Amino acid sequence: MALLRAAAAGLLRRRRGAPLPLFLSALSPPPPTRQPCPSPVAPYFTPLCRRRSWSHPPAVSSPSCVARAILLPATFSIYSPLSSSASPDGSADGDPSPPPRPSPAAAPPSSWVDRWVPQPARPYAMLARLDKPIGTWLLAWPCFWSITMAAMPGELPDLRMSTLFGCGAVLLRGAGCTVNDLLDRDIDNKVERTKSRPFASGVLTPMQGVGFLGFQLLLGLGILVQLNNYSRILGASSLLLVFSYPLMKRFTFWPQAYLGLTFNWGALLGWAAIKGSLDPAIILPLYTAGVCWTLVYDTIYAHQDKEDDLKVGVKSTALRFGDSTKQWISGFGAACIGSLALSGYSADLAWPYYPFLAAASAQLAWQISTVDLSDRQDCNRKFVSNKWFGALVFGGVLCGRLVS
C-alpha cells in the first residue's frame, strides 16, 4: 500500500511540473529567421522581395532575388532612369535613395572634334573654332568670289589657288580667334556664351596660346610664299587688321565694320593672286559688298550677347542700333546687293549671274525680316544661314564666268 502511494505522488509531481517548460518557452524569444536576399546587393532588391507576400518567411534566399542579382550587371544601379523599378523622383518604390549619377559616356559628343581629335589637342581645336566652320565659310566666300571673277571667260577658276585660299581661310580664321581669345580672356569669363572657351575656363594658359598662334602663323606663311610678290605684301598687311580687331569693341560701337574690313580682305587678295594687280572698278565694289554683308550677319550675331555686353562694358552695333537694328541692316543688305551687281557688271559676267544674285538677295531679305533679335537661338540660326548666301553668290559668279 505504501508503495502505491509513493508511485501516485511521483506521477502527481510530474504533471504539476509540465506547464513550467511550456511557460518558459512562451517567454523565450523565437529563433532567429534568415533574412531574404542574403547577397551583396540585398539592400537594392529588398523592396522587390517585399512585393510578394509569403505566409512564412523564406528559410533560404528567394529564387527571384537571386535571379535578379545574377542577371543585373554590377555597374547597373536600381535607381537608374532606365530601370523600371525607379520612381519618377529617383527612388525605388518610394524608398529614399541617392539621385542617379549620369555617366559621362552617356552624353553624345557635341561635334566631330569630340569624336576624332585626341584629348591633348582638343582645346587647341576648340580655340581655332574647328568645331564651328561657319566662320571659315564666311572668310572663304569672298576669296572664292574674287578668284572666280579673275578667271578667263569660259574657264573654271584656278583649282590650286582655290585650295590654297581654302586652307588659308582655316588658318587665318583660327589665328584670329586665338588673338581674340587671348585679348578677351578677362571678358569672356563674364559672358555666358564664351565663359567655356579655353582661356576663359583656364584649360589653356596664355603662353600656350601664344605658342599655338605662332604655329598657325608659320603654316599661313607657308601658303603666302606660294603667291606672287604683290599678293605677299597685300596678304601680310592684313595681319594688322587681324591683330587689332579684338580691341575695337573697347573703343567704338562699330567693331562689326572693322571685322568686315578684316574678313573680306580675301576679295582683294584673290584677284591679286591671279592677276598680279588690282582692278578698282571690280574689286572695290566687291570689297564694299563684303563689308556691308558682314555688318548684316555680325550685327545679328551680336544680339546674342547684348545683355552681357552691357554688363561688361563692351560695344557693338547691336547696342548702337538698338530697336532700329532691322532698318539699319536692311540698308546694309541693299548696299551689299547693289555693290555685287556693280562688281559683276564691271567684270562682264554673263546673265546667269543675276538670277543667282536675286536668289541671294531673297535669302538675305528672309534673314532680316524673320530674325527674332530677342531670341539667341534664332539669331544664331540666321547667322549660320549666311553660308548659303555666300554659296548663291559664288554659284552666280561661276555660271556668269563660264557663260561669258
Side-chain angles (χ1 to χ4, degrees):
M1 195 64 174
L3 185 59
L4 289 174
R5 287 197 191 100
L11 182 60
L12 183 60
R13 280 196 300 271
R14 282 197 295 271
R15 286 185 177 179
R16 288 178 180 175
L20 184 58
L22 294 175
F23 176 76
L24 292 177
S25 65
L27 293 179
S28 62
T33 59
R34 299 179 67 179
Q35 295 293 331
C37 300
S39 68
V41 290
Y44 297 104
F45 295 106
T46 300
L48 297 173
C49 297
R50 288 175 183 167
R51 292 179 181 175
R52 294 189 178 184
S53 59
W54 286 289
S55 57
H56 301 285
V60 295
S61 299
S62 165
S64 173
C65 292
V66 173
R68 289 175 183 265
I70 293 174
L71 294 176
L72 289 179
T75 57
F76 181 84
S77 171
I78 195 68
Y79 306 112
S80 167
L82 298 177
S83 172
S84 59
S85 62
S87 61
D89 60 353
S91 61
D93 294 336
D95 289 352
S97 63
R101 296 180 181 179
S103 171
S110 58
S111 71
W112 70 271
V113 171
D114 297 310
R115 291 191 295 268
W116 302 109
V117 176
Q119 182 68 33
R122 202 170 297 168
Y124 296 99
M126 296 294 186
L127 181 60
R129 309 288 198 276
L130 296 182
D131 58 320
K132 298 176 180 178
I134 178 59
T136 302
W137 281 115
L138 297 177
L139 184 61
W141 281 131
C143 303
F144 295 154
W145 301 344
S146 182
I147 292 172
T148 307
M149 279 189 178
M152 297 298 294
E155 294 184 3
L156 290 171
D158 190 317
L159 181 59
R160 173 179 173 273
M161 201 61 64
S162 298
T163 303
L164 286 176
F165 272 79
C167 296
V170 175
L171 291 172
L172 187 61
R173 191 264 180 129
C177 291
T178 302
V179 173
N180 181 79
D181 288 7
L182 275 170
L183 295 177
D184 287 353
R185 61 186 184 277
D186 295 332
I187 296 176
D188 287 344
N189 57 18
K190 301 174 184 176
V191 177
E192 183 66 28
R193 185 179 57 85
T194 60
K195 64 183 181 181
S196 61
R197 287 177 176 174
F199 294 134
S201 61
V203 175
L204 292 179
T205 65
M207 188 59 66
Q208 291 172 320
V210 171
F212 182 57
L213 176 62
F215 175 71
Q216 290 172 301
L217 294 178
L218 184 62
L219 294 178
L221 180 62
I223 293 177
L224 193 63
V225 296
Q226 300 183 56
L227 308 181
N228 55 55
N229 290 332
Y230 188 90
S231 301
R232 292 172 189 170
I233 298 172
L234 190 63
S237 62
S238 69
L239 294 179
L240 178 63
L241 295 171
V242 172
F243 281 93
S244 58
Y245 159 69
L247 301 174
M248 291 298 108
K249 64 174 71 73
R250 294 168 170 84
F251 305 113
T252 176
F253 279 100
W254 294 87
Q256 280 69 31
Y258 203 84
L259 179 67
L261 297 175
T262 307
F263 249 52
N264 294 279
W265 200 258
L268 309 177
L269 192 58
W271 182 278
I274 301 297
K275 299 291 190 180
S277 62
L278 292 177
D279 186 343
I282 298 173
I283 294 307
L284 288 184
L286 186 64
Y287 186 55
T288 301
V291 173
C292 293
W293 179 40
T294 304
L295 276 163
V296 173
Y297 67 66
D298 207 52
T299 298
I300 293 174
Y301 185 80
H303 270 274
Q304 297 178 93
D305 301 328
K306 55 189 176 184
E307 291 86 2
D308 292 322
D309 289 347
L310 281 173
K311 296 176 185 177
V312 175
V314 298
K315 301 175 176 66
S316 70
T317 51
L319 298 177
R320 171 66 180 82
F321 301 157
D323 294 336
S324 302
T325 291
K326 289 199 175 185
Q327 289 86 340
W328 277 92
I329 60 178
S330 295
F332 290 128
C336 171
I337 299 301
S339 297
L340 285 171
L342 178 59
S343 180
Y345 176 80
S346 300
D348 294 325
L349 296 181
W351 66 266
Y353 173 68
Y354 299 98
F356 276 92
L357 187 59
S361 63
Q363 200 278 340
L364 200 62
W366 167 79
Q367 289 184 54
I368 297 171
S369 61
T370 62
V371 64
D372 183 355
L373 297 174
S374 60
D375 186 342
R376 294 188 178 188
Q377 292 184 351
D378 190 53
C379 288
N380 187 67
R381 281 193 296 268
K382 298 303 190 296
F383 168 74
V384 172
S385 74
N386 279 277
K387 62 186 177 184
W388 302 115
F389 175 87
L392 287 170
V393 174
F394 173 73
V397 174
L398 179 62
C399 292
R401 180 52 73 209
L402 290 175
V403 174
S404 61

